[in-house]
Amino acid sequence: MNPTPRPHRPVVRDPGVLEAMGAGSDPIAEIHAAHESAAALLHAGRAADDPAVTERLIALVDDIGISTLADLWADRPARSLPGALWRLYLLREWISHDPARVARDYAAGIRFTEPHNVVAGVGYPGPDEVQRAADEILRGVFDGDFAVALERAAAFCHVVSAGRADLARDTDEFERAGRLTGMAADLTACAHLWRLNQLA
């Protein structure tokens, strides 16, 4: 009579061995890389106290490309440090690609969201002003109160979302407006977590 077969223990392989075998990358390592790189970037920017460093960090996507940040941070939860930084850089990139459209939506949304307009601090919502607001929000990440920067970005999203919904001509536009509202909620939650020292 054969003894009952014993289950095999899983084989733990070094990530280098997995890569050599053609297997996918280590998801745990990717998670650590996302969170550690976000924390390192934020710490470096806030510790530098150098306007030149801040300007380079604001323009980070211009140097390395949005796809590089997407590879690092886009899959992390929205209410995490890499998730928050990803959304701030994505917001700046989105504005820079179509500032006239963003300004139009922003202008249309002001009458529905006056308190958010005040928090966003855009002033006259022309293409140059919305681009400047995106840079100022990122500047606040590194030179100011991070929670306030997150709240300004959330307020900006609320105003644009309201304007886009008001001007929408089809369901796709309504859905995009809804996604902006969701982003605003996530950024607001991140600001709250940062103040509790729980954003990681």
Side-chain angles (χ1 to χ4, degrees):
M1 184 169 166
N2 291 333
T4 304
R6 296 175 63 188
H8 293 284
R9 296 179 66 175
V11 177
V12 179
R13 299 186 187 275
D14 181 85
V17 173
L18 289 174
E19 190 172 336
M21 293 172 63
S25 57
D26 182 353
I28 301 301
E30 289 178 358
I31 291 169
H32 285 300
H35 289 265
E36 288 171 7
S37 63
L41 181 80
L42 186 63
H43 175 74
R46 295 178 70 80
D49 195 25
D50 181 346
V53 170
T54 301
E55 293 309 309
R56 283 199 303 273
L57 291 174
I58 290 169
L60 181 65
V61 169
D62 302 341
D63 294 334
I64 68 171
I66 194 70
S67 60
T68 302
L69 286 188
D71 289 343
L72 269 175
W73 297 339
D75 289 337
R76 300 312 311 134
R79 299 181 182 192
S80 68
L81 182 58
L85 289 175
W86 164 244
R87 280 153 184 79
L88 293 176
Y89 279 106
L90 186 63
L91 183 66
R92 180 183 183 269
E93 184 74 356
W94 169 62
I95 293 167
S96 71
H97 276 291
D98 198 354
R101 170 67 188 275
V102 175
R104 187 199 74 173
D105 290 347
Y106 192 98
I110 290 174
R111 66 190 176 106
F112 304 108
T113 57
E114 187 59 40
H116 290 300
N117 178 44
V118 172
V119 173
V122 173
Y124 173 78
D128 291 341
E129 286 75 16
V130 294
Q131 287 186 291
R132 191 175 305 119
D135 285 353
E136 288 173 358
I137 287 167
L138 276 172
R139 188 170 290 109
V141 168
F142 303 111
D143 279 353
D145 185 323
F146 185 38
V148 171
L150 291 166
E151 288 167 342
R152 284 190 70 191
F156 187 95
C157 290
H158 275 300
V159 178
V160 175
S161 174
R164 179 159 287 190
D166 186 52
L167 299 173
R169 294 194 174 101
D170 56 42
T171 54
D172 286 346
E173 291 300 307
F174 278 113
E175 287 174 4
R176 290 187 186 104
R179 286 196 293 272
L180 280 170
T181 300
M183 182 185 285
D186 289 331
L187 291 168
T188 300
C190 286
H192 178 67
L193 290 169
W194 177 259
R195 289 192 173 103
L196 296 176
N197 200 28
Q198 293 177 3
L199 187 65

